[in-house]
Amino acid sequence: MSSATTDTRNVRKTLLGFVTSRSGDKSIKVTIPYKTPHPLYHKVINRKTVVHVHDEKNEAKLGDKVEIMETRPLSRLKRWRVISVVERSETAIGEAISEQDVAAQVPTKITKTEPSAPAPAAP
């Protein structure tokens, strides 16, 4: 084989996108946003592409920014795999809270602290 064919063989597309869904074990959906001008009016239009991605280590979470690479078909829809997690999202894990926790944080008429002045005595 010539060196020209071996160099072009390993060149694969890489894209950056955001994890929008974790559908199953080792599978995620990544949304890749891009902008394109309208052909007639030349206004910039926001578009997106959603791809199914293989996440071997289950390291990507919802909202993470990931770098993905094109690969051979891994299943019916998966043609991409995760290279790395570029940026972690700052979403907190959902926790159930009780009514007492909400009442302690939200000021109400009962929990407001008002300076209590003695009422003037009526003569």
Side-chain angles (χ1 to χ4, degrees):
M1 292 177 95
S2 68
S3 64
T5 57
T6 58
D7 291 340
T8 59
R9 181 176 179 186
N10 292 328
V11 176
R12 296 181 178 173
K13 294 179 188 175
T14 59
L15 297 172
L16 287 174
F18 295 94
V19 178
T20 54
S21 173
R22 292 193 48 83
S23 54
D25 187 36
K26 299 182 181 180
S27 296
I28 58 175
K29 281 186 185 179
V30 174
T31 300
I32 303 154
Y34 63 97
K35 295 182 179 192
T36 183
H38 190 276
L40 179 61
Y41 301 115
H42 305 292
K43 179 181 177 181
V44 176
I45 303 170
N46 292 323
R47 299 280 183 173
K48 65 181 177 182
T49 300
V50 179
V51 293
H52 294 256
V53 180
H54 182 70
D55 184 12
E56 182 66 33
K57 299 175 186 174
N58 281 328
E59 61 187 0
K61 304 295 182 215
L62 198 63
D64 289 351
K65 186 175 185 179
V66 292
E67 183 178 11
I68 59 174
M69 177 176 66
E70 190 177 32
T71 185
R72 65 180 175 84
L74 298 172
S75 69
R76 184 173 72 94
L77 296 172
K78 289 198 284 188
R79 306 292 192 266
W80 298 83
R81 68 177 176 221
V82 173
I83 297 174
S84 64
V85 177
V86 177
E87 185 179 323
R88 296 277 181 194
S89 68
E90 296 181 13
T91 57
I93 299 172
E95 297 177 2
I97 57 173
S98 65
E99 291 181 18
Q100 289 81 15
D101 295 335
V102 173
Q105 294 176 358
V106 178
T108 60
K109 290 181 179 179
I110 298 171
T111 59
K112 278 187 181 176
T113 58
E114 296 180 7
S116 57

